[in-house]
Amino acid sequence: MNIPVITIDGPSGAGKGTVSRAVAKLLGWNYLDSGSIYRSLAIAVLQAGIALDDVPAIVRVAEAMRLAFECGESLLVRLNGVDITSQLASETTGNAASIVAAYPEVRAVLLQKQKDFRQAPGLVADGRDMGSVVFPEAEFKVYLTASAEERANRRYKQLIEKGIDANLSQITREIEERDRRDSERATAPLTVPEGATTIDSSSLSIQQVIDAVINLVR
Ligand code: DC
């Protein structure tokens, strides 16, 4: 049976997570937050005191890590049995994730873990290379973007709401740096996948973006 997939790719802070979760819930489909896999790996690597350029050691951690996702009201992630949810969102984790994600050997290890999320009745997959590399045959592909300024503003608000200390100009710099690293890397760079519909969310509400994605599928 062909299990349908909607891929939602785009730069950090474009609203992919919120939109993907809402679309998955509306359709009753499964949800893959691929960024959280790279983020979990980054946490495991940092916890083990491994340098972010020690590729063989990072690959070993990626091979050995056991991840469990629980999709309730919000996503809960366990790394080797330990709840790491509260560490996932931090900028330190995001930046380290972007660094480990640039290594092709690391991406190769994590590829199958991501494909395994394709379970009936369907999957909404959010990331950077969902439509280009992991699910190139997906029937519905979206590229969700927004200006760097708008994304930095949203990220800042999110962090403050979560009680995490944040600095807007630093976040803007980090978003631009992350965009550059995610787009310029040689393996599976952030790109508009072939056949994708681009949605610029800079001046759209979350509901408008959700409606646009649902319209695409219906
Ligand atoms: O979507 P996110 O911010 O949680 O992702 C964190 C980092 O993980 C991002 O900067 C790049 C990497 N990533 C990736 O390389 N490929 C994906 N499919 C998802 C995330």
Side-chain angles (χ1 to χ4, degrees), residues 9-13 16-17 33-39 88 93-102 107 114 126-130 134 155 178-179 181-182 185 187-190:
D9 289 301
S12 143
K16 300 187 301 289
D33 173 359
S34 61
S36 71
I37 296 183
Y38 291 97
R39 284 174 182 265
L88 280 175
T93 301
N95 290 322
S98 164
I99 294 172
V100 297
R107 303 195 74 84
Q114 297 171 77
D126 137 15
R128 303 290 186 291
D129 62 341
M130 297 297 100
V134 183
R155 188 87 190 108
R178 184 116 65 94
D179 281 358
R181 193 165 41 224
D182 293 346
R185 68 180 178 221
T187 308
L190 172 64

Side-chain angles (χ1 to χ4, degrees), residues 2-7 29 118 135-141 195 216:
N2 188 28
I3 299 167
V5 182
I6 304 176
T7 61
W29 289 10
R118 189 174 193 168
F135 304 107
E137 70 292 352
E139 12 316 75
F140 311 105
K141 298 184 185 181
L216 201 73

Side-chain angles (χ1 to χ4, degrees), residues 11-189:
S12 143
K16 300 187 301 289
T18 310
V19 169
S20 305
R21 267 194 300 277
V23 169
K25 201 167 174 192
L26 277 168
L27 297 172
W29 289 10
N30 298 294
Y31 168 52
L32 164 61
D33 173 359
S34 61
S36 71
I37 296 183
Y38 291 97
R39 284 174 182 265
S40 301
L41 172 60
I43 291 169
V45 165
L46 294 174
Q47 275 177 356
I50 292 166
L52 291 174
D53 60 359
D54 186 347
V55 181
I58 297 170
V59 166
R60 281 196 294 279
V61 174
E63 283 168 344
M65 74 175 177
R66 284 182 295 110
L67 284 180
F69 293 85
E70 278 168 40
C71 271
E73 268 307 294
S74 54
L75 186 75
L76 187 148
V77 182
R78 284 202 180 80
L79 169 66
N80 303 327
V82 179
D83 183 354
I84 54 160
T85 314
S86 66
Q87 298 170 56
L88 280 175
S90 81
E91 291 307 290
T92 310
T93 301
N95 290 322
S98 164
I99 294 172
V100 297
Y103 302 126
E105 302 88 331
V106 170
R107 303 195 74 84
V109 172
L110 299 180
L111 187 63
Q112 191 58 44
K113 284 191 206 283
Q114 297 171 77
K115 287 182 188 277
D116 290 344
F117 277 78
R118 189 174 193 168
Q119 305 274 347
L123 176 68
V124 181
D126 137 15
R128 303 290 186 291
D129 62 341
M130 297 297 100
S132 57
V133 175
V134 183
F135 304 107
E137 70 292 352
E139 12 316 75
F140 311 105
K141 298 184 185 181
V142 172
Y143 185 79
L144 184 60
T145 188
S147 68
E149 195 187 7
E150 179 59 26
R151 288 184 283 127
N153 265 319
R154 290 179 190 168
R155 188 87 190 108
Y156 175 75
K157 281 192 203 144
Q158 260 176 11
L159 290 171
I160 295 294
E161 274 166 20
K162 284 184 183 159
I164 300 172
D165 206 16
N167 171 306
L168 184 58
S169 55
Q170 188 187 341
I171 290 177
T172 309
R173 270 198 311 279
E174 285 178 354
I175 281 205
E176 284 167 351
E177 168 67 14
R178 184 116 65 94
D179 281 358
R180 194 190 52 68
R181 193 165 41 224
D182 293 346
S183 316
E184 291 180 1
R185 68 180 178 221
T187 308

